[in-house]
Amino acid sequence: MTVKLDFEECLKDSPRFRADIEVVQNDVIELETRLEKLVKQCHAMLEAGRVYCQTSKSFVNGLRDLGQHCSGDTTMEECLDKFSKKLSIIFDAQGDVIDTTQKSVKTKLQNFVKEDVRRFKDVRKEFERSSECLEGALVRNAQAPRGKQHEVEEASNALLNARRTFRSEAMDYVLEINVIEAKKKTDILMAMLSLMESQAQLFQHGHQSLSELDEYRRKLNEEHTQFVLNSAREKRDMEQRHAAIKKKDVSYDDSIMDFNADAAIPMEGYLYKRASNAFKTWSRRWFSIQKNQLVYQKKFKEQPTVVVEDLRLCTVKPSTENDRRFCFEVVSPSKCCLLQADSERQQQAWISAVQNSIASAFQEHREDPHSPRQRCSSVSANNFGGGGGGGGGGGDQENKGCKALEEVQAIPGNRQCCDCGEPGPDWASINLGITLCIVCSGIHRSLGVHFSKVRSLTLDSWEPELVKLMCELGNTVINRIYEARIDEITIKKPHPSSPRGDKESWIRSKYVEKKFIQKLPETGRTALVRRSSARRNPIDPLDRPALRPPLKPKPNRATLPRLTGLNPSDLLQKNNTHRDTEEEEDLSGLHPGALLYRSAALQNFPVMADALAHGASVNWVNAAEGSSTPLIQAVSANALAACEFLLQNGANVNQADSSGRGPLHHATILGHTGLVCLFLKRGADYNAKDKSQKDPITIAVDTANADIVTLLRIAKMNKEMREMDGAFGQSGDDTYHDIFRDFSHMASNNPEKLKRRSADPKT
């Protein structure tokens, strides 16, 4: 018998426990409704013999509904599904049903509804009544003034009595929940077995379909016997455990307020939190320490609210300035949170827990061999210590990771925070390509991922294509775009010591409102772009000013070399026998979307960032070139970092052109293995078919590209394995992650190893 709820959890009375109770209550109500419906249908079958066939179909439908309700139990779901299907066949061919069999089903289920469910409801009422009393006692205890000792003692005694009563009723309720869950399973299975045994005896000479269930029925009968034995044994054990726990004094929280550094959640419990608004109201919330953060939630299903994002940056101390008792403060660089415990022991336990968590966080960061800073220091020590020779594969890999982080910080302007100038920034915005200090990174994170995606340079792992992207931009390039008109604006750029409010105002004006970017002219923008427009339709220099008002000078924006020649679909057919010709094109008057489209093909990151800053749609469609997109243009140039830049800024990895081919199709056709690896990691649909009804796997097989075929098949296999594992399956097979990690490193560091020639020029 599986334990539905744990006794220790009910003592905590956590939101998780409340959520589980609510699920069980809804489950019992729904079960009662379905069983009552099933009993009525069975009665109708006994009373209405003339309409037996029609009524029996309703009964079968009721079994199917019950099977769907029990979908979480494989045994019950399989049992109800198999039996209902066979019953449909029997009822269609037979006009009578054995009354004794139906009566046994009806009696069994009716007794469960009238006796077991009713007893469950009675225990639930007692639990809810004691819960209300406890809530009132907690409120009165929290409101007791410090100066009135008699009221404090009276409230404390009332709280102890209410808590003792509540926990006793809660344990009784948990026991009843576990018992009814077990009894529901055995009773329903027993009713089904009785029914099917009668049906087998009746139709043993005429219905072959029923004989197909003989083996399954024998197996289920054995399982049921084992279920009964296990239920009896576990029920006895639970009753003994229940009795042992009830003998203890559960009025205090001594046994459930201990800090456990090795647990996933070292400390959790209820605290009162004072709001930061003008009313300074107090609210009781479930607090926990997890992942070096202090968080709280009101309900179990709610996303936890982070109070302190990094415990290493905060301090904790008792608060004696407040009128309420048992208060303590958690102080971080950005705010101060005032909390209240239910007792002095709880107050000391929470203060100690926070202090221990701070120490543990520093110790873990100092000893973590996978920490980027730790790896860099260890690799440097090994290099200076000599020790040449073989076996350096792992060391080379670590050295490359450290070198990559150093390269990001070596980009012009990246040694200081992009927004306030604080030296030594340890955070980055990966879609903007800039480095940030911890204060500005918190502000960027509050903007939302559609504006800025924040990642730590030292605490997070970095994929090689992301490092490559960061090295293409940098603070200097981005500030030339987003601070182009800073001299014309009266607002002053914040410095490292500026208040957080000033920094937040500056960052929102800079990235959200975009007040400082160079404004584009409102007339003369060209939206459609053709590859050979400059060659076919040369514009007279005298007419150019009238057609396109000149744009104010901006870095890398006035003119760019333009590649013309074969489009991606022709490259494979002509086997790269022609070289692209180069010519210059004035891009200053282009629509932002067209500018992003052209600069993506040219791998010009400053211009791409400029176009996005001026409102270019990252999924802009060029109808003049077969509905191609900037991402497809980057694919045609085999630009790994450009593709990563577009994806980080929201590009649709599955958006197809007019021929039905998405970026994954084009990367497969052109043999760009690194891009195929990138798109599969970003969720590209490997089953998508173009207008020729070819998916990427078919194309890769036709072109005999073994690497791409391997990646596509492994991605497909990994997805199928995760679907088989269900919702609680792992995120992927280790082999899958290892292969994709190796291809990512090769695509970023050794792209020449991934070059492949088409095995069939006719494809």
Short mmCIF file of all heavy atoms in Angstrom, two decimals, residues 370-409:
data_model
loop_
_atom_site.label_atom_id
_atom_site.label_comp_id
_atom_site.label_asym_id
_atom_site.label_seq_id
_atom_site.Cartn_x
_atom_site.Cartn_y
_atom_site.Cartn_z
N HIS A 370 34.15 22.80 -10.03
CA HIS A 370 33.58 23.23 -11.31
C HIS A 370 33.37 24.73 -11.37
O HIS A 370 32.88 25.25 -12.36
CB HIS A 370 32.24 22.52 -11.55
CG HIS A 370 32.38 21.03 -11.58
ND1 HIS A 370 32.99 20.37 -12.61
CD2 HIS A 370 32.00 20.08 -10.68
CE1 HIS A 370 32.98 19.07 -12.37
NE2 HIS A 370 32.38 18.86 -11.21
N SER A 371 33.67 25.43 -10.29
CA SER A 371 33.56 26.88 -10.31
C SER A 371 34.57 27.45 -11.30
O SER A 371 35.74 27.06 -11.30
CB SER A 371 33.82 27.45 -8.92
OG SER A 371 33.94 28.84 -8.97
N PRO A 372 34.14 28.37 -12.17
CA PRO A 372 35.08 28.91 -13.17
C PRO A 372 36.33 29.52 -12.56
O PRO A 372 37.43 29.31 -13.05
CB PRO A 372 34.23 29.95 -13.90
CG PRO A 372 32.83 29.50 -13.73
CD PRO A 372 32.78 28.88 -12.37
N ARG A 373 36.18 30.25 -11.48
CA ARG A 373 37.35 30.86 -10.87
C ARG A 373 38.27 29.79 -10.27
O ARG A 373 39.49 29.88 -10.35
CB ARG A 373 36.93 31.87 -9.80
CG ARG A 373 36.18 33.06 -10.36
CD ARG A 373 36.01 34.13 -9.31
NE ARG A 373 35.29 35.29 -9.82
CZ ARG A 373 35.85 36.27 -10.49
NH1 ARG A 373 37.13 36.23 -10.75
NH2 ARG A 373 35.11 37.29 -10.91
N GLN A 374 37.66 28.76 -9.65
CA GLN A 374 38.47 27.69 -9.07
C GLN A 374 39.21 26.94 -10.16
O GLN A 374 40.37 26.56 -10.01
CB GLN A 374 37.55 26.74 -8.28
CG GLN A 374 38.30 25.67 -7.49
CD GLN A 374 39.01 26.26 -6.30
OE1 GLN A 374 38.71 27.37 -5.88
NE2 GLN A 374 39.97 25.53 -5.77
N ARG A 375 38.53 26.67 -11.28
CA ARG A 375 39.17 25.98 -12.38
C ARG A 375 40.33 26.79 -12.93
O ARG A 375 41.40 26.25 -13.24
CB ARG A 375 38.15 25.71 -13.50
CG ARG A 375 37.10 24.70 -13.12
CD ARG A 375 36.49 24.13 -14.38
NE ARG A 375 35.93 25.17 -15.23
CZ ARG A 375 34.67 25.54 -15.20
NH1 ARG A 375 33.84 24.97 -14.36
NH2 ARG A 375 34.23 26.47 -16.03
N CYS A 376 40.12 28.09 -13.08
CA CYS A 376 41.20 28.93 -13.62
C CYS A 376 42.42 28.90 -12.72
O CYS A 376 43.56 28.78 -13.18
CB CYS A 376 40.70 30.37 -13.78
SG CYS A 376 39.48 30.57 -15.09
N SER A 377 42.17 28.99 -11.40
CA SER A 377 43.31 29.01 -10.49
C SER A 377 44.03 27.68 -10.49
O SER A 377 45.26 27.63 -10.44
CB SER A 377 42.84 29.36 -9.07
OG SER A 377 41.91 28.40 -8.62
N SER A 378 43.26 26.55 -10.55
CA SER A 378 43.91 25.25 -10.54
C SER A 378 44.67 25.01 -11.82
O SER A 378 45.78 24.46 -11.81
CB SER A 378 42.86 24.14 -10.34
OG SER A 378 41.94 24.15 -11.41
N VAL A 379 44.11 25.44 -12.95
CA VAL A 379 44.81 25.26 -14.22
C VAL A 379 46.08 26.08 -14.25
O VAL A 379 47.14 25.64 -14.71
CB VAL A 379 43.88 25.62 -15.40
CG1 VAL A 379 44.67 25.68 -16.69
CG2 VAL A 379 42.76 24.61 -15.51
N SER A 380 46.01 27.31 -13.72
CA SER A 380 47.20 28.16 -13.69
C SER A 380 48.28 27.53 -12.82
O SER A 380 49.46 27.53 -13.16
CB SER A 380 46.84 29.55 -13.17
OG SER A 380 45.88 30.14 -14.01
N ALA A 381 47.87 26.97 -11.69
CA ALA A 381 48.84 26.35 -10.80
C ALA A 381 49.50 25.16 -11.48
O ALA A 381 50.70 24.94 -11.37
CB ALA A 381 48.15 25.90 -9.50
N ASN A 382 48.72 24.37 -12.21
CA ASN A 382 49.29 23.22 -12.91
C ASN A 382 50.26 23.67 -13.99
O ASN A 382 51.30 23.04 -14.23
CB ASN A 382 48.17 22.38 -13.53
CG ASN A 382 47.35 21.69 -12.46
OD1 ASN A 382 47.82 21.47 -11.36
ND2 ASN A 382 46.11 21.35 -12.80
N ASN A 383 49.91 24.74 -14.67
CA ASN A 383 50.79 25.21 -15.74
C ASN A 383 52.12 25.71 -15.19
O ASN A 383 53.19 25.44 -15.72
CB ASN A 383 50.10 26.31 -16.55
CG ASN A 383 48.94 25.75 -17.37
OD1 ASN A 383 48.89 24.55 -17.61
ND2 ASN A 383 48.03 26.62 -17.78
N PHE A 384 52.04 26.47 -14.10
CA PHE A 384 53.27 27.02 -13.54
C PHE A 384 54.08 25.94 -12.83
O PHE A 384 55.28 26.06 -12.66
CB PHE A 384 52.95 28.16 -12.56
CG PHE A 384 52.60 29.43 -13.28
CD1 PHE A 384 51.30 29.92 -13.25
CD2 PHE A 384 53.55 30.12 -14.04
CE1 PHE A 384 50.97 31.08 -13.92
CE2 PHE A 384 53.20 31.28 -14.70
CZ PHE A 384 51.92 31.76 -14.64
N GLY A 385 53.39 24.87 -12.42
CA GLY A 385 54.09 23.83 -11.67
C GLY A 385 54.80 22.84 -12.54
O GLY A 385 55.38 21.89 -12.05
N GLY A 386 54.81 23.03 -13.85
CA GLY A 386 55.49 22.10 -14.73
C GLY A 386 54.58 20.94 -15.03
O GLY A 386 53.45 21.10 -15.39
N GLY A 387 55.07 19.72 -14.89
CA GLY A 387 54.25 18.54 -15.08
C GLY A 387 53.84 18.34 -16.50
O GLY A 387 52.67 18.19 -16.79
N GLY A 388 54.73 18.40 -17.49
CA GLY A 388 54.38 18.14 -18.87
C GLY A 388 54.12 16.68 -19.07
O GLY A 388 54.19 15.86 -18.20
N GLY A 389 53.85 16.33 -20.31
CA GLY A 389 53.62 14.94 -20.62
C GLY A 389 52.22 14.70 -21.07
O GLY A 389 51.47 15.60 -21.38
N GLY A 390 51.83 13.42 -21.13
CA GLY A 390 50.52 13.05 -21.65
C GLY A 390 49.44 13.23 -20.61
O GLY A 390 49.64 13.69 -19.51
N GLY A 391 48.21 12.76 -21.02
CA GLY A 391 47.05 12.83 -20.13
C GLY A 391 46.57 14.21 -19.86
O GLY A 391 46.01 14.49 -18.83
N GLY A 392 46.74 15.13 -20.78
CA GLY A 392 46.34 16.52 -20.53
C GLY A 392 45.04 16.89 -21.19
O GLY A 392 44.75 18.06 -21.34
N GLY A 393 44.25 15.87 -21.62
CA GLY A 393 43.00 16.21 -22.31
C GLY A 393 42.05 16.99 -21.43
O GLY A 393 41.48 17.99 -21.83
N GLY A 394 41.84 16.51 -20.17
CA GLY A 394 40.93 17.22 -19.28
C GLY A 394 41.43 18.59 -18.93
O GLY A 394 40.70 19.56 -18.88
N GLY A 395 42.78 18.71 -18.70
CA GLY A 395 43.35 20.02 -18.38
C GLY A 395 43.21 20.99 -19.51
O GLY A 395 42.97 22.18 -19.32
N ASP A 396 43.38 20.49 -20.76
CA ASP A 396 43.21 21.37 -21.92
C ASP A 396 41.80 21.91 -21.99
O ASP A 396 41.56 23.08 -22.31
CB ASP A 396 43.55 20.60 -23.20
CG ASP A 396 45.04 20.27 -23.26
OD1 ASP A 396 45.82 20.92 -22.54
OD2 ASP A 396 45.38 19.38 -24.04
N GLN A 397 40.82 21.04 -21.69
CA GLN A 397 39.43 21.48 -21.73
C GLN A 397 39.17 22.57 -20.71
O GLN A 397 38.50 23.57 -20.99
CB GLN A 397 38.51 20.26 -21.49
CG GLN A 397 37.04 20.55 -21.71
CD GLN A 397 36.72 20.75 -23.17
OE1 GLN A 397 37.49 20.39 -24.04
NE2 GLN A 397 35.60 21.38 -23.44
N GLU A 398 39.68 22.38 -19.47
CA GLU A 398 39.49 23.39 -18.44
C GLU A 398 40.18 24.68 -18.83
O GLU A 398 39.67 25.78 -18.60
CB GLU A 398 40.04 22.87 -17.10
CG GLU A 398 39.40 21.59 -16.60
CD GLU A 398 37.95 21.79 -16.22
OE1 GLU A 398 37.53 22.95 -16.13
OE2 GLU A 398 37.24 20.80 -16.02
N ASN A 399 41.38 24.55 -19.43
CA ASN A 399 42.15 25.73 -19.82
C ASN A 399 41.40 26.53 -20.87
O ASN A 399 41.39 27.76 -20.86
CB ASN A 399 43.52 25.29 -20.35
CG ASN A 399 44.52 26.43 -20.32
OD1 ASN A 399 44.23 27.49 -19.75
ND2 ASN A 399 45.67 26.22 -20.91
N LYS A 400 40.71 25.79 -21.79
CA LYS A 400 39.93 26.49 -22.81
C LYS A 400 38.77 27.25 -22.20
O LYS A 400 38.45 28.36 -22.62
CB LYS A 400 39.39 25.47 -23.83
CG LYS A 400 40.48 24.85 -24.71
CD LYS A 400 39.88 23.82 -25.65
CE LYS A 400 40.95 23.16 -26.50
NZ LYS A 400 40.39 22.10 -27.39
N GLY A 401 38.11 26.64 -21.16
CA GLY A 401 37.01 27.34 -20.51
C GLY A 401 37.46 28.62 -19.84
O GLY A 401 36.83 29.67 -19.95
N CYS A 402 38.61 28.56 -19.14
CA CYS A 402 39.15 29.76 -18.50
C CYS A 402 39.55 30.80 -19.53
O CYS A 402 39.32 32.00 -19.35
CB CYS A 402 40.35 29.39 -17.64
SG CYS A 402 39.96 28.25 -16.29
N LYS A 403 40.16 30.33 -20.63
CA LYS A 403 40.58 31.25 -21.68
C LYS A 403 39.38 31.96 -22.29
O LYS A 403 39.44 33.15 -22.60
CB LYS A 403 41.35 30.48 -22.75
CG LYS A 403 41.90 31.36 -23.86
CD LYS A 403 42.67 30.53 -24.87
CE LYS A 403 43.20 31.41 -26.01
NZ LYS A 403 43.93 30.61 -27.02
N ALA A 404 38.25 31.22 -22.41
CA ALA A 404 37.05 31.83 -22.98
C ALA A 404 36.52 32.94 -22.09
O ALA A 404 36.16 34.03 -22.57
CB ALA A 404 35.98 30.75 -23.18
N LEU A 405 36.49 32.71 -20.76
CA LEU A 405 36.02 33.75 -19.85
C LEU A 405 36.94 34.97 -19.89
O LEU A 405 36.48 36.11 -19.83
CB LEU A 405 35.94 33.19 -18.44
CG LEU A 405 34.84 32.16 -18.19
CD1 LEU A 405 34.92 31.61 -16.79
CD2 LEU A 405 33.48 32.78 -18.43
N GLU A 406 38.25 34.71 -19.99
CA GLU A 406 39.19 35.83 -20.08
C GLU A 406 38.98 36.61 -21.38
O GLU A 406 39.12 37.83 -21.40
CB GLU A 406 40.62 35.29 -20.01
CG GLU A 406 40.97 34.70 -18.64
CD GLU A 406 42.33 34.03 -18.64
OE1 GLU A 406 42.97 34.00 -19.71
OE2 GLU A 406 42.75 33.54 -17.57
N GLU A 407 38.63 35.88 -22.46
CA GLU A 407 38.39 36.57 -23.74
C GLU A 407 37.17 37.48 -23.65
O GLU A 407 37.17 38.59 -24.20
CB GLU A 407 38.19 35.53 -24.85
CG GLU A 407 39.46 34.81 -25.26
CD GLU A 407 39.21 33.73 -26.29
OE1 GLU A 407 38.02 33.52 -26.62
OE2 GLU A 407 40.17 33.12 -26.74
N VAL A 408 36.12 37.04 -22.95
CA VAL A 408 34.94 37.88 -22.81
C VAL A 408 35.29 39.17 -22.07
O VAL A 408 34.87 40.27 -22.44
CB VAL A 408 33.82 37.11 -22.07
CG1 VAL A 408 32.66 38.05 -21.74
CG2 VAL A 408 33.32 35.96 -22.92
N GLN A 409 36.05 39.04 -21.00
CA GLN A 409 36.42 40.23 -20.21
C GLN A 409 37.48 41.08 -20.90
O GLN A 409 37.70 42.22 -20.50
CB GLN A 409 36.90 39.79 -18.83
CG GLN A 409 35.81 39.11 -18.01
CD GLN A 409 36.30 38.64 -16.65
OE1 GLN A 409 37.50 38.55 -16.43
NE2 GLN A 409 35.36 38.34 -15.76
#
